Amino acid sequence: MCLGIPGKIVAVSPEEHMAEIETFGIRQRISTLLVGEVAVGEYVMVHTGYAIEKVDVAEALERIRLWEELLAHEGVFDEVPRSGDRPGTD
Amino acid sequence: MREFLTKFRDPEIARALIKDVRHLATRVADRLGRRVVLMEVCGTHTVAISRAGLRSLLGDLLDLRSGPGCPVCVTDYADVDRMVALARLPGVTVGTFGDMVRVPGSDSSLERERAAGADIRIFYSPADAVAWAAAHPERELVFLGVGFETTAPAVALSIKEAGARGLKNFSVYVNHKLVPPALMALLEDPEIKVDGFILPGHVSAIIGRRAYSFLEAFRLPAAITGFETNDILEGIRQILKMMWGKEPRVVNGYTRVVREEGNKIAQREMAAVFRVGDASWRGFGVIPGSGLTLAAPFAAFDAAARFTLPPVVPRVPAGCACGEILKGKLTPKECRLFAVACNPTSPVGPCMVSSEGACAAYYQFERHYGERANHA
């Protein structure tokens, strides 16, 4: 029931508090009453026809960067320590 | 959209995350002398975890339990019975989110009432229900306000809009529930042993990370988690890191959507229309301060007050363990009825009816994993 649809704003009607989003090629009209002003090109998370929050693309890209770093350092954990090891500090 | 969402589903990243999760879980489980027990408290997570096969993939190290995360499943029998009674009233059209239609009450469901001639309409958005009421002044439209903090702001806006349009034929049967008090109820139950919580992403988008700070007093690690496979693995990884480092906190693993303070506009709309009240949850009974009622200026939109309903005498089907499953005390496979007398085509309880119910998700994606519990 809390399944959200992320979408890119492709058109706005500020006077009606509405916008049009596109998700994987599908367009949908949504209400922007819960997120205030939105601009074309921004991403929002949509739930039951309402944008419930803006998607912070910079945060998404940062998460991806951290994961790619993890991929690059794979192999570090091949040796699984057993109990008695001191906890890591990460 | 596609450009960055694909990375959240990327199998190479998933493989690296699983490796890391297994490595951490091995250390933590080794230290505990048992599997690590994590609970997801969102039905959308339940389905995503089952679909991705994470429960079986990590099952030797992690016991991933499902909690009271499906709003339809935690709806009390008495409330379903009242919804059915509303549908039977002459001149009433019941408007609802689709999830609610098949949920069994004591002796009927909205689906059965519709087959018997009741006018039950599924709306994707509560705003559509308001528009329908405006277009059909000859009918009383009762919208079923079901769901957690994610759906409540949209329902609040629909009530305000009905008020602004002067609609006399729109009302709401308010049955919303709040997540933090349910977490509190789980933590206060001595029989429930959970090491960490995978927290719901979109409830948190509304209420913010800070709403969970009470968890810190319980020294319990928790991570707000998104819904893609890699989001979920990241959430699990963050909880395990905190367990290994013995630094339990509530971390936000879904920073692209969830803010520290949550969505203040949504919180303001909810506070304008609703007041916090007690609510009865299937499996839990009454949890203080876990529900919503209408604030005085909107009392006229309260369907429970507008219509006189016959008293209900809720009956729980014999053998259904849905209540225990919602608390994470039993897994679906430990229910005697699971996949025997109870399956998606002839469901006994709501956990099998709702697509987000733990029983339905386990049945669809993982009923062949592991052995069924032995009840001998």
Side-chain angles (χ1 to χ4, degrees), chain A residues 4-6 43-47 50-55, chain B residues 202 254 257:
Chain A
I5 301 164
Y43 289 86
V44 287
M45 185 57 73
V46 175
H47 191 263
Y50 290 82
I52 58 164
E53 191 54 273
K54 292 182 181 185
V55 177
Chain B
H202 294 146
Y254 194 32
V257 174

Side-chain angles (χ1 to χ4, degrees), chain A residues 12-64:
Chain A
V12 290
S13 321
E15 63 289 345
E16 299 173 89
H17 304 288
M18 298 293 284
E20 196 172 331
I21 59 159
E22 187 179 306
T23 306
F24 293 118
I26 296 164
R27 290 188 168 213
Q28 183 193 349
R29 260 174 76 75
I30 56 144
S31 165
T32 57
L33 274 169
L34 295 174
V35 289
E37 216 170 290
V38 291
V40 169
E42 284 188 311
Y43 289 86
V44 287
M45 185 57 73
V46 175
H47 191 263
T48 65
Y50 290 82
I52 58 164
E53 191 54 273
K54 292 182 181 185
V55 177
D56 187 330
V57 176
E59 285 288 346
L61 295 174
E62 174 61 9
R63 174 65 60 205
I64 291 166

Side-chain angles (χ1 to χ4, degrees), chain B residues 210-223:
Chain B
R210 190 167 293 184
Y212 302 102
S213 43
F214 69 93
L215 288 175
E216 285 163 14
F218 291 90
R219 309 268 310 140
L220 201 98

Side-chain angles (χ1 to χ4, degrees), chain B residues 219-255:
Chain B
R219 309 268 310 140
L220 201 98
I224 294 167
T225 304
F227 296 97
E228 303 296 339
T229 302
N230 295 346
D231 282 323
I232 293 167
L233 288 165
E234 178 66 32
I236 293 170
R237 183 168 80 126
Q238 291 185 1
I239 295 169
L240 291 168
K241 266 188 181 180
M242 290 188 275
M243 286 182 76
W244 179 244
K246 296 188 177 172
E247 289 176 336
R249 295 188 318 281
V250 179
V251 298
N252 182 359
Y254 194 32
T255 49

Side-chain angles (χ1 to χ4, degrees), chain A residues 1-8 22-25 28 30-36 43-57 59-61 63-64 66-68 70-71 74-75 77-90, chain B residues 1-5 7-9 12-13 15-17 19-20 23 26-27 30-31 42 44 71 97 99 124-127 146-147 150-151 153-154 157 202-203 205-206 227 230-231 234 237-238 241 244-245 253-257 259 262-263 265-266 269 356:
Chain A
M1 197 164 202
C2 291
L3 190 65
I5 301 164
K8 188 178 190 170
E22 187 179 306
T23 306
F24 293 118
Q28 183 193 349
I30 56 144
S31 165
T32 57
L33 274 169
L34 295 174
V35 289
Y43 289 86
V44 287
M45 185 57 73
V46 175
H47 191 263
T48 65
Y50 290 82
I52 58 164
E53 191 54 273
K54 292 182 181 185
V55 177
D56 187 330
V57 176
E59 285 288 346
L61 295 174
R63 174 65 60 205
I64 291 166
L66 290 169
W67 284 340
E68 295 197 319
L70 177 78
L71 259 180
E74 256 202 307
F77 293 132
D78 282 349
E79 290 299 312
V80 176
R82 309 307 294 172
S83 62
D85 283 24
R86 287 214 313 279
T89 51
D90 50 7
Chain B
M1 198 76 267
R2 207 179 301 265
E3 53 272 31
F4 68 79
L5 256 188
K7 287 288 182 186
F8 288 86
R9 301 171 183 177
E12 274 302 292
I13 289 173
R15 198 179 45 76
L17 284 168
K19 199 169 173 182
D20 209 9
H23 165 81
T26 304
R27 290 159 121 186
D30 205 33
R31 195 164 68 192
C42 170
T44 311
F97 295 124
D99 316 51
Y124 166 62
S125 168
V146 176
T150 328
T151 55
L157 285 175
H202 294 146
V203 164
I206 303 297
F227 296 97
N230 295 346
D231 282 323
E234 178 66 32
R237 183 168 80 126
Q238 291 185 1
K241 266 188 181 180
W244 179 244
Y254 194 32
T255 49
R256 66 185 185 276
V257 174
R259 317 281 175 259
N263 180 333
I265 300 173
E269 297 295 353
E356 285 191 346

Side-chain angles (χ1 to χ4, degrees), chain B residues 28-106:
Chain B
V28 176
D30 205 33
R31 195 164 68 192
L32 294 172
R34 58 169 173 80
R35 289 193 300 166
V36 181
V37 184
L38 303 184
M39 181 183 273
E40 90 268 359
V41 281
C42 170
T44 311
H45 277 152
T46 299
V47 175
I49 289 169
S50 292
R51 183 183 291 135
L54 297 182
R55 256 179 267 275
S56 51
L57 199 65
L58 304 168
D60 56 323
L61 299 167
L62 293 176
D63 178 353
L64 293 174
R65 293 267 166 144
S66 304
C70 154
V72 165
C73 307
V74 298
T75 301
D76 206 24
Y77 274 96
D79 283 309
V80 181
D81 291 348
R82 287 188 200 99
M83 293 170 191
V84 164
L86 282 164
R88 288 174 178 170
L89 293 174
V92 167
T93 295
V94 168
T96 178
F97 295 124
D99 316 51
M100 208 57 226
V101 172
R102 296 183 64 218
V103 179
S106 300

Side-chain angles (χ1 to χ4, degrees), chain B residues 86 89 92 133 137 139-143 159 162-163 166-173 294 298-309:
Chain B
L86 282 164
L89 293 174
V92 167
R139 301 284 300 176
E140 277 281 352
L141 189 286
V142 179
F143 190 77
I159 292 167
L167 295 186
K168 297 281 179 258
N169 65 328
F170 178 86
S171 61
V172 176
Y173 184 79
L294 283 166
F298 298 95
F301 294 97
D302 186 359
R306 186 178 296 195
F307 301 98
T308 307
L309 298 175

